[in-house]
Amino acid sequence: MNALTTALRVLRWAVEGTGQPPGGPLQHTSGLIDPGAEVRTALAELIRHFAARHGAGRPPLGDPEPAGAGGVLLAAAIGGRMEPESACAVAEALPPRSLSERGGGWSDALARHAVVAPFLSGVPRFEGKQAAPQGAVAMGRAEAEENELRMGEVLLDASPLTAVLYRPAAGPLSRGATGAVRTAAALVTRPAGRRLLCNGLAAWHGHAPVLDWRSQLLARLSADYPEVVLDTYLAARLRYGTEWDHQVRAARRRLAVRALPDELTLATVRFWAPLADLSRRHPGLPATRPLLAGHQPAVELVRRYRLNLPATG
């Protein structure tokens, strides 16, 4: 086995994205740049499957060009994560992917996201979970999770769509994540991009930083793209309303009894702050979405506990 075989195994795993991704060696990484027909076929199949499942259209996001090597290199890095230094070096070898309204690279960006997103969903600390095993096995698992956490940050830097739909890496996020905001604005203009953005941001997530990023992004988009923001909340109610109702009720109970509520409780309510602000500034706008209903309890919590987001530039 070599790095190309490792990448192929991860690409095939990512089609379903369940369980832990396979691992493998990172030998002969030069083969990843021109991977050959078998790997390119697996990458194309992953893109088709992901685009169909998430409504990204065909060709994906209106980009007829074949994906570049980005998804292949990131698949190899994920598969080689037991060699953390080498794996991070493989991911960091990718040049930054800048996306614009009329530029190319959207198919490649979707390929990167299709590989990275299922990996992050399996890393406990990216999902807001803390593993608490015992003994030597636990120490080994804890070290592996730390390596996965580091790997996750590198992957977020390398996958611009994941930075939008999940969250940016910690470094760019601390500096305002202007690149991710620009990518989101460009995504709105792409064929099927608006649907991908709205549906991707609409779900509840068990990790507070993800929800906080989504609320920040929606707040920053609301000035230029208020209808996109409304459509995101419409998707939240129509697609994920049962889960949101459960989480908002739980947040209301916690806010009522806790002097210092946990960050996930606050982030769950703050997710709805851009809608509360949009409704205040444009009272008639929510009525343009007749099916947008059931959001009032969350908006009321935003107002009652003054959880509006700070003004953004």
Side-chain angles (χ1 to χ4, degrees):
M1 286 183 63
N2 55 31
L4 201 57
T5 310
T6 299
L8 180 60
R9 294 177 66 196
V10 172
L11 289 172
R12 289 171 172 167
W13 162 84
V15 171
E16 294 301 328
T18 57
Q20 288 294 306
L26 285 177
Q27 300 169 347
H28 310 299
T29 55
S30 59
L32 298 170
I33 303 301
D34 186 15
E38 187 177 19
V39 172
R40 292 189 184 280
T41 298
L43 180 64
E45 175 61 24
L46 172 61
I47 295 171
R48 283 195 298 271
H49 186 275
F50 189 90
R53 186 169 56 189
H54 295 275
R58 186 171 183 180
L61 301 175
D63 182 7
E65 295 297 321
V72 177
L73 266 72
L74 296 184
I78 289 169
R81 63 195 179 279
M82 296 308 292
E83 305 172 42
E85 297 299 329
S86 297
C88 287
V90 168
E92 289 169 339
L94 276 171
R97 175 93 266 177
S98 180
L99 299 167
S100 63
E101 177 181 347
R102 294 181 176 82
W106 289 95
S107 181
D108 184 66
L110 192 71
R112 297 186 190 197
H113 180 57
V115 173
V116 172
F119 170 74
L120 294 182
S121 70
V123 178
R125 287 183 61 181
F126 272 90
E127 292 296 286
K129 302 171 185 175
Q130 295 287 344
Q134 304 286 326
V137 172
M139 293 177 62
R141 180 57 189 159
E143 182 180 1
E145 287 179 355
E146 286 299 321
N147 288 335
E148 288 178 338
L149 188 63
R150 176 189 172 196
M151 169 71 67
E153 292 292 324
V154 172
L155 295 174
L156 286 169
D157 258 336
S159 180
L161 283 181
T162 314
V164 170
L165 299 173
Y166 187 83
R167 69 161 173 84
L173 188 58
S174 68
R175 298 188 293 272
T178 55
V181 176
R182 286 195 298 268
T183 299
L187 182 60
V188 169
T189 69
R190 300 295 302 183
R194 179 167 170 166
R195 179 169 60 233
L196 180 65
L197 178 67
C198 294
N199 290 340
L201 298 178
W204 182 81
H205 197 281
H207 198 24
V210 174
L211 290 178
D212 278 338
W213 160 247
R214 291 176 179 174
S215 56
Q216 291 171 35
L217 178 59
L218 290 169
R220 294 168 73 173
L221 291 175
S222 64
D224 294 326
Y225 304 100
E227 294 198 350
V228 171
V229 175
L230 281 180
D231 284 344
T232 300
Y233 288 111
L234 179 62
R237 293 304 311 159
L238 293 180
R239 294 171 63 93
Y240 308 107
T242 300
E243 178 68 9
W244 273 114
D245 287 343
H246 171 73
Q247 297 299 337
V248 169
R249 284 194 298 267
R252 184 174 60 236
R253 290 194 298 269
R254 294 183 189 118
L255 286 168
V257 300
R258 293 188 181 184
L260 293 174
D262 61 278
E263 285 301 314
L264 184 56
T265 294
L266 295 174
T268 296
V269 177
R270 275 196 299 255
F271 174 83
W272 298 90
L275 179 59
D277 183 62
L278 202 59
S279 301
R280 177 186 60 79
R281 291 187 289 113
H282 305 284
L285 201 55
T288 64
R289 300 296 188 277
L291 296 179
L292 178 57
H295 60 282
Q296 294 86 353
V299 169
E300 175 57 30
L301 288 178
V302 171
R303 292 168 176 163
R304 181 187 306 171
Y305 292 99
R306 300 179 181 181
L307 293 175
N308 300 80
L309 297 169
T312 56

